[in-house]
Amino acid sequence: MKTYKQVFSELAQANRAALIPFFVIGDPDLDTSLAIVKTAIDAGADVLELGIPFSDPIADGPTIQKADIRALKSGMTVRKALEFIRNIKDHKDVPIGLLMYYNLIYQYGKERFFRDFHQAGVNSVLVADMSIDDADEIYDAAISAGLDTVFMVTPNTEPARMKLIASKTTGFIYTVSVLGVTGSRADLSDVVEGLIAKLKKITPVPVCVGFGISKAEHAAAIARAGADGVIIGSKIAELIERNLSDKGKMLAEIAGFIGKVRRAIGNSVAKPPNESFDPAQDGFGGLNI
Amino acid sequence: MKYKGRFGDYGGFYVPEVLIPALEELERAFYRFYQDEQFVGELEQLLRDYAGRPSPLYYAKRFSEYVGFKVYLKREDLLHGGAHKVNNTLGQGLLAKYMGKTKLIAETGAGQHGLATAMIGALFGMETKIFMGVTDIERQSVNVHKMKLCGAEVIAIEGGTGTLKDAINDALRYWTAHVTDTFYLFGSACGPHPYPTMVRHFQSRIGKEARLQCLEKIGRLPDIVVACVGGGSNAIGIFSGFLDDKNVRLIGVEAGGRSLSSGKHAATLAAGRVGILHGAKTYLLQDEQGQVSETESVSAGLDYPAVGPEHCYLKDSGRARYVAAQDDDVLDAFELLTKMEGILPALEPAHALAYLISQKGKLDPETIVVANLSGRGDKDVSIVERCRPLED
Ligand SMILES: Cc1ncc(COP(=O)(O)O)c(C=O)c1O
């Protein structure tokens, strides 16, 4: 199974940021969702971020809420998500991060959840409604199941807390580009470049950026600012929503969009990764399990 | 965060990373000011002159004769705004002022918390936004109008069943994007830490007063204290005064809706399983996988699938007992108290009264019960009119 480490070091050699699309599993229904994710992989996704739909997604804006509702209405369950992931891994071995809400994990049983999903091919599980303060509640179970850890940093995270988060992160830091919930935004947040730079100074852990990125130019700018990955979610859910009556067009538009972002990222050469990171000076090196 | 905000294993602060700085700031401010002399003095004065505290403890003689034991009503319905909610909105609103915040947001179900927040927004000159589900807007329209008259903006929430849970979801989402200048004035003793502790503190006034009033008026403590439980703020407010009095039985009454077996209810403690929602580990009405259930109740204020963490702890420890009252019995209780005492109870505390009616003739006549009459029923007249049309 391909690890984050392998993917990020391959991409660092190629001097390109990872393209990480997000999908709600089962949106708009299981079969279409499979076709969509496979299309995205074929169009150039390097890593997948997948959500298991939840009834009360408090970190999500209207677009992804609607995706959750579509998926739940079509009968999506946690068990079916497991099948879905196996199916995707059979198509191609790309790393998969789950992004979801804690109650679903808690009800499944956290040890069993992490073990089952790791075995199915998941690399990490990011819990949207859990901050680093409560990470201990899942950390050991996740690590002993063989998962990498991914945590969020937001524009209002204090530097000391960033360091704490980085020290517990073995996969990548999910950097939230805006204060707010998920959803496409017309313009790129003006704090994101500074945030990437700050993180790059304190940790060698890969930094991926998400929330509000809806255009190829946004992705390119983020890659140029030194991010190791660009996460795009709501924009894709919008393409699904807009084409519910025409699957062929839906797949074509998603493939087209992902291809375009991929080319935009490819053309924007980033600064050499971690150029400003000096563990000796910072007295700090992130875990690299 | 400085404290874990746990009641046993319940509670905590299961929120996205982005909300942590705001909760930390709130926790810091609460612990800094809640015993501060100036803050306490200012709050006391407002509770007295603005809200109308202390609220009376009223012996409901005719109702007592009907049920066959002695029932005293803690008259939170007489407070300004018509419910206990003002105790909390004055406390948190003043805290917001001390923190230098100028914008308030709040969720509301029955509209009582929304109204109590809108009042305080007007009082302190703060811009106020109230998040309210479309179902609740429809069934509590009088309160919606009052909020608007106070100058608040009422934001209609379409998601889910258009009830309290959905209003909280969207208020949390809005807060996420406006954490730097907005104070989230949470309406019940649930949600993430520090809200359960803070709301309990501001509502504990009810229990302190009631205990003293019992000793002064009756010369002894009650045998039973009963309150309705939605998120749990009026109940924890009155229970807190009697927690150490081991002989006082504490009974919380949840919304039994159509019936527990129909699945159409909001009796979280009676029928839920432990889970995580809105920032807390709590009993939760949910399906096998953990998707949160849709709830149903004639009373908008109790129509919520989770409950405050301290109640979960009190249930498990056996210190308090939780039962459910069904819609039909609640409407009966509303009518009965109105006919016998000339007091219109809100449908929420009518749940507590329905429980007392179910105990008719079963308790020793000398039993003393204090029921928290958390709000008045003016807001519910149109619902009662629809469910129980008057015969000419
Ligand atoms: C009069 C009244 N009582 C009780 C409640 C339920 O809330 P809590 O359980 O927090 O007291 C409400 C909520 O709107 C209410 O308006």
Side-chain angles (χ1 to χ4, degrees), chain A residues 200-201 203-204 224-226 270-279 281:
Chain A
K200 283 289 166 192
K201 254 193 199 116
T203 178
R224 234 179 291 123
K271 290 176 279 185
N274 303 333
E275 81 184 330
S276 52
F277 177 70
D278 181 354
Q281 185 204 312

Side-chain angles (χ1 to χ4, degrees), chain A residues 42-62:
Chain A
D42 297 343
D46 299 296
V47 172
L48 297 172
E49 194 73 18
L50 299 177
I52 300 183
F54 182 51
S55 53
D56 295 86
I58 56 163
D60 288 297

Side-chain angles (χ1 to χ4, degrees), chain B residues 199-234:
Chain B
V199 175
R200 172 204 214 265
H201 172 73
F202 291 130
Q203 293 292 5
S204 66
R205 221 6 215 272
I206 307 172
K208 280 202 190 98
E209 273 176 23
R211 190 176 187 282
L212 262 178
Q213 287 166 323
C214 283
L215 293 175
E216 281 171 14
K217 261 191 144 80
I218 317 168
R220 74 169 175 96
L221 292 176
D223 302 292
I224 296 172
V225 172
V226 59
C228 67
V229 179
S233 71
N234 88 88

Side-chain angles (χ1 to χ4, degrees), chain B residues 314-367:
Chain B
L314 292 175
K315 173 190 157 82
D316 287 4
S317 69
R319 180 63 191 93
R321 201 159 69 81
Y322 296 88
V323 297
Q326 294 184 17
D327 288 349
D328 263 341
D329 299 330
V330 170
L331 290 162
D332 286 346
F334 176 96
E335 291 178 338
L336 197 86
L337 192 79
T338 307
K339 275 232 171 67
M340 294 199 149
E341 301 284 348
I343 295 173
L344 278 80
L347 288 173
E348 289 80 14
H351 283 70
L353 303 172
Y355 170 74
L356 293 181
I357 294 169
S358 78
Q359 300 302 297
K360 177 173 158 57
K362 293 186 191 162
L363 301 177
D364 185 286
E366 291 310 307
T367 306

Side-chain angles (χ1 to χ4, degrees), chain B residues 1 23 95 153 182 186 215 238 240 276 289 344 384 388:
Chain B
M1 304 282 267
L23 291 175
L95 189 62
E153 181 188 350
T182 300
F186 204 81
L215 293 175
I238 195 159
S240 63
I276 291 93
Q289 284 195 63
L344 278 80
V384 174
R388 298 280 170 93

